[in-house]
């Protein structure tokens, strides 16, 4: 990767898997209006307890959004990115998007601005996005064949009228492709989100990946369809199923070699706050924010200095770990689940983990393959036996769990389920631990782990 | 000759407000309302009523 691109993504948790250990994003819901209808979206129901794209608890005016961004920046030192990602479309509801970005950029000069769009209105906004230094754009592209598009989009609103069917999907497709090309021409990084809908566009996403790669997309994020009937979406109500985790992984594996894949997406809410995989949005609702806020850069600046140091350390540790895996000289692979609360270290207690990050160590190296969400096993000091069963089944296929602490009881129960767990590498860097573990498992002399 | 918004259905996304060519739609209290004095049903300006064409929920922007 060239250094100019690295400079752009090194603090963006969604565009860089490495950055997601250190940096946090926040979304402000300032653009609720949309110009298309998707079968996986229902605009009528928002819920505080759901975590999925498009869902928000409160919509904000640009002034309220500014207050919230400053409030979060003062308290969350990891904050690096402000995104507008629904509900609605940031490029269509443009007046609000633009006003928000201008206000925030004036107060917090170094925050990265990021939008998510369906692409229909995108070509009209590229020039202004470039002017405002919006360096990261996500376009949701689910098809390049309008006949498939017609099964996903019931209608679009374009040029002052509503279009349906193949005609609607053709317009959307053409606008998406030209928007992507225009962004690439200006050096703005694009991530393509695709929703994997079994039987509708799953095979077709291979074709989508080719098209977007040819047009300069930086990253391709294939996400599973969420289609719970309770959400009231067309797909939810018509019984369209979402893909299983293994089906998603199989498709992602087939796409290797095309446009680079994102595997650390958590399909977060449109008002999420914090590191990926956590949502602190409820701490920063309008009623919890002071009426007047002044930006205080100190926490963010201190944190950045710490990250710069840690990153150097971790990089060195990582290359040492890769060395251990290679010297082990084994052809085998090891699937490792890690409990972490950020910083690239094994620093979360087993019982407190809401997700495990899964890594694969093999002769090819150590790579992040995804995350698995679990129900927190230990709540307020009380352990829930039922949720432990859930954790065990979620961790199916994993060889070993690494965490900062684990009690004897859950450790034994995991063992009965065929999964080993250890706190031996607590607070080490993830790669260091996996390297040492791999070496220990597959024969060669284990080196001392460094942290 | 006017449209109205069924408040119980409305998601308050506001798309209708900025598509309305007559400036007849405003956010009042908890919901968007159409001023019947200003609403022209888009006659003479567009083929279809803009509010109803962009509204994400069917049967929400309807003839009064």
């Amino acid at each position: 990767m060239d250094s100019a691109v690295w400079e752009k993504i090194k603090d963006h948790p969604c565009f860089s898997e490495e950055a997601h250990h250190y940096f946090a994003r926040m979304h402000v819901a300032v653009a609720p209006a949309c110009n298309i209808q998707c079968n996986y979206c229902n605009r009528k129901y928002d819920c505080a307890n759901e975590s999925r794209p498009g869902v928000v608890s409160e919509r904000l005016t640009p002034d309220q959004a500014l207050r919230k961004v400053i409030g979060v920046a003062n308290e969350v030192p990891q904050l690096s990115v402000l995104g507008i990602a629904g509900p609605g479309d940031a490029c269509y509801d443009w007046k609000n998007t633009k006003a928000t970005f201008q206000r925030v950029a004036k107060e917090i000069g170094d925050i990265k601005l990021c939008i998510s769009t369906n692409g229909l209105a995108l070509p009209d906004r590229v020039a202004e996005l470039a002017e405002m230094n919006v360096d990261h754009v996500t376009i949701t592209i689910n098809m390049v064949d309008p006949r498939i598009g017609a099964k996903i989009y019931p209608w679009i609103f374009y040029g002052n009228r509503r279009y349906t069917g193949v005609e609607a999907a053709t317009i959307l497709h053409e606008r998406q492709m030209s928007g992507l090309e225009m962004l690439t021409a200006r050096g703005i990084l694009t991530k393509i989100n695709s929703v994997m809908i079994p039987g509708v566009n799953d095979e077709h996403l291979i074709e989508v990946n080719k098209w977007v790669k040819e047009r300069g997309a930086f990253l391709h994020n294939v996400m599973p369809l969420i289609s719970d009937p309770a959400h009231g979406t067309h797909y939810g109500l018509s019984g369209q199923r979402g893909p299983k985790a293994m089906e998603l992984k199989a498709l992602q594996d087939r796409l290797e070699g095309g446009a680079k894949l994102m595997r650390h997406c958590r399909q977060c809410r449109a008002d999420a706050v914090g590191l990926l995989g956590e949502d602190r949005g409820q701490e920063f609702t309008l009623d919890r924010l002071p009426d007047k806020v002044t930006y205080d850069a100190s926490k963010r600046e201190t944190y950045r200095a710490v990250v710069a140091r840690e990153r150097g350390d971790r990089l060195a540790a990582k290359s040492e770990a890769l060395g251990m895996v290679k010297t082990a000289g084994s052809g085998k692979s090891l699937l490792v689940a890690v409990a972490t609360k950020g910083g690239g270290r094994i620093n979360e207690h087993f019982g407190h983990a809401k997700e495990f990050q899964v890594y694969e160590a093999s002769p090819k190296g150590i790579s992040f393959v995804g995350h698995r969400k679990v129900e927190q096993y230990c709540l307020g000091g009380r352990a829930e036996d039922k949720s432990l069963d859930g954790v065990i089944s979620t961790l199916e296929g994993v060889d070993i769990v690494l965490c900062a602490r684990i009690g004897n009881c859950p450790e034994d129960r995991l063992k009965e389920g065929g999964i080993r767990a250890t706190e031996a590498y607590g607070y080490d860097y993830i790669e260091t631990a996996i390297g040492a573990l791999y070496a220990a498992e597959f024969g060669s002399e284990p080196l001392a782990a460094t942290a | 000759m006017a449209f109205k918004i069924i408040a119980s259905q409305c998601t308050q996304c506001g798309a209708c407000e900025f598509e309305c060519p007559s400036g007849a739609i405003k956010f009042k209290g908890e919901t968007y309302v159409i001023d019947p004095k200003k609403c022209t049903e888009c006659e003479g300006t567009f083929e279809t009523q803009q509010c109803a064409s962009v509204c994400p929920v069917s049967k929400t922007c309807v003839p009064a």
Side-chain angles (χ1 to χ4, degrees):
Chain A
M1 184 184 304
D2 75 62
S3 61
V5 172
W6 172 242
E7 273 308 309
K8 283 184 183 178
I9 63 160
K10 73 182 177 48
D11 300 346
H12 196 309
C14 309
F15 277 70
S16 157
E17 193 273 307
E18 199 262 358
H20 109 279
H21 293 285
Y22 300 109
F23 289 104
R25 56 36 182 137
M26 73 176 290
H27 293 152
V28 286
V30 293
C34 196
N35 50 0
I36 74 175
Q37 179 67 49
C38 305
N39 279 334
Y40 47 75
C41 178
N42 175 13
R43 309 271 295 290
K44 243 184 130 180
Y45 302 102
D46 292 342
C47 173
N49 300 319
E50 281 169 21
S51 185
R52 59 186 164 100
V55 169
V56 293
S57 293
E58 56 187 11
R59 287 148 193 209
L60 309 171
T61 64
D63 283 322
Q64 290 170 328
L66 174 64
R67 186 151 70 94
K68 180 164 171 172
V69 176
I70 294 176
V72 171
N74 288 350
E75 293 302 318
V76 180
Q78 298 96 335
L79 181 71
S80 63
V81 174
L82 167 66
I84 299 177
D89 188 274
C91 287
Y92 174 62
D93 204 336
W94 182 245
K95 228 175 80 188
N96 286 326
T97 299
K98 189 175 170 179
T100 303
F101 278 170
Q102 284 174 333
R103 270 163 233 199
V104 172
K106 217 174 117 198
E107 295 292 325
I108 309 177
D110 69 344
I111 201 162
K112 285 188 185 303
L113 303 174
C114 174
I115 62 156
S116 170
T117 176
N118 60 49
L120 184 57
L122 175 63
D124 306 334
R125 305 301 177 206
V126 172
E128 283 172 283
L129 288 168
E131 239 169 72
M132 289 194 294
N133 290 321
V134 175
D135 234 351
H136 301 83
V137 174
T138 297
I139 317 172
T140 301
I141 300 180
N142 297 316
M143 52 90 194
V144 292
D145 178 348
R147 286 168 301 178
I148 292 175
K151 297 178 191 167
I152 304 171
Y153 305 104
W155 57 263
I156 68 165
F157 182 79
Y158 179 68
N160 295 104
R161 56 168 281 212
R162 186 178 278 207
Y163 292 85
T164 57
V166 172
E167 194 185 8
T170 304
I171 296 169
L172 179 63
H173 166 63
E174 285 165 1
R175 301 280 291 175
Q176 287 177 333
M177 293 303 131
S178 85
L180 172 57
E181 286 164 8
M182 289 167 77
L183 291 169
T184 301
R186 281 167 179 76
I188 297 174
L189 292 182
T190 49
K191 172 160 75 66
I192 306 304
N193 276 355
S194 297
V195 181
M196 178 182 179
I197 312 160
V200 176
N201 73 345
D202 44 354
E203 282 294 317
H204 183 57
L205 288 180
I206 293 164
E207 191 66 17
V208 171
N209 183 279
K210 279 189 204 139
W211 279 62
V212 300
K213 187 187 182 186
E214 278 167 20
R215 284 159 186 78
F218 177 71
L219 206 58
H220 193 190
N221 176 26
V222 178
M223 304 177 294
L225 171 73
I226 299 172
S227 64
D228 187 330
H231 300 156
T233 63
H234 172 78
Y235 280 147
L237 297 174
S238 63
Q240 169 65 50
R241 73 173 180 94
K244 296 180 193 119
M246 288 313 287
E247 289 174 318
L248 177 69
K249 185 176 182 295
L251 177 60
Q252 288 172 331
D253 290 345
R254 284 172 70 189
L255 295 176
E256 285 292 350
K260 190 175 156 44
L261 291 186
M262 172 181 186
R263 292 191 189 242
H264 61 284
C265 177
R266 307 296 201 281
Q267 293 183 285
C268 61
R269 288 167 58 101
D271 57 5
V273 173
L275 294 169
L276 299 196
E278 78 177 11
D279 187 1
R280 300 176 57 185
Q282 294 306 310
E283 295 170 43
F284 298 100
T285 48
L286 284 181
D287 56 324
R288 290 175 180 228
L289 290 168
D291 287 336
K292 273 202 91 62
V293 286
T294 320
Y295 176 50
D296 170 8
S298 59
K299 279 192 189 171
R300 288 181 69 231
E301 279 169 6
T302 313
Y303 180 74
R304 276 164 188 260
V306 171
V307 169
R309 264 202 317 278
E310 283 271 308
R311 267 189 159 153
D313 277 5
R314 184 174 171 216
L315 202 66
K318 190 173 176 176
S319 78
E320 192 182 335
L322 282 179
M324 286 191 221
V325 170
K326 297 249 159 74
T327 358
S330 160
K332 291 181 183 143
S333 77
L334 195 66
L335 212 53
V336 183
V338 174
T340 173
K341 48 185 171 191
R345 290 178 185 268
I346 299 161
N347 53 6
E348 180 69 292
H349 292 206
F350 175 81
H352 295 169
K354 290 187 186 123
E355 64 166 35
F356 289 90
Q357 298 193 4
V358 181
Y359 288 77
E360 190 165 25
S362 75
K364 281 193 272 177
I366 300 171
S367 59
F368 177 81
V369 293
H371 66 279
R372 300 197 190 172
K373 279 184 192 157
V374 295
E375 204 183 315
Q376 211 174 321
Y377 159 63
C378 188
L379 285 166
R382 267 203 4 255
E384 294 285 335
D385 263 5
K386 231 175 71 194
S387 57
L388 189 55
D389 292 335
V391 176
I392 292 170
S393 74
T394 304
L395 291 176
E396 191 191 340
V398 165
D399 296 298
I400 189 154
V401 177
L402 303 180
C403 51
R405 289 276 178 278
I406 184 167
N408 290 334
C409 166
E411 191 180 340
D412 292 343
R413 288 277 308 281
L414 279 169
K415 203 183 241 169
E416 286 164 26
I419 301 164
R420 287 173 292 154
T422 177
E423 53 182 45
Y425 301 95
Y427 303 97
D428 281 359
Y429 285 122
I430 294 169
E431 288 85 2
T432 304
I434 295 174
L437 186 70
Y438 190 88
E441 289 287 306
F442 298 120
S444 85
E445 278 297 301
L447 301 169
T450 51
Chain B
M1 288 291 283
F3 263 52
K4 65 174 178 184
I5 292 169
I6 309 295
S8 60
Q9 299 251 74
C10 174
T11 69
Q12 288 104 37
C13 77
C16 57
E17 183 189 20
F18 62 78
E19 293 297 347
C20 176
S22 323
I25 304 181
K26 287 275 175 296
F27 193 67
K28 277 191 185 156
E30 295 273 285
T31 183
Y32 284 91
V33 289
I34 299 178
D35 181 347
K37 289 194 207 98
K38 288 189 181 170
C39 176
T40 63
E41 296 194 4
C42 295
E43 207 157 294
T45 321
F46 294 112
E47 271 174 46
T48 58
Q49 288 81 24
Q50 299 294 287
C51 57
S53 303
V54 75
C55 181
V57 189
S58 60
K59 296 179 189 152
T60 299
C61 297
V62 293

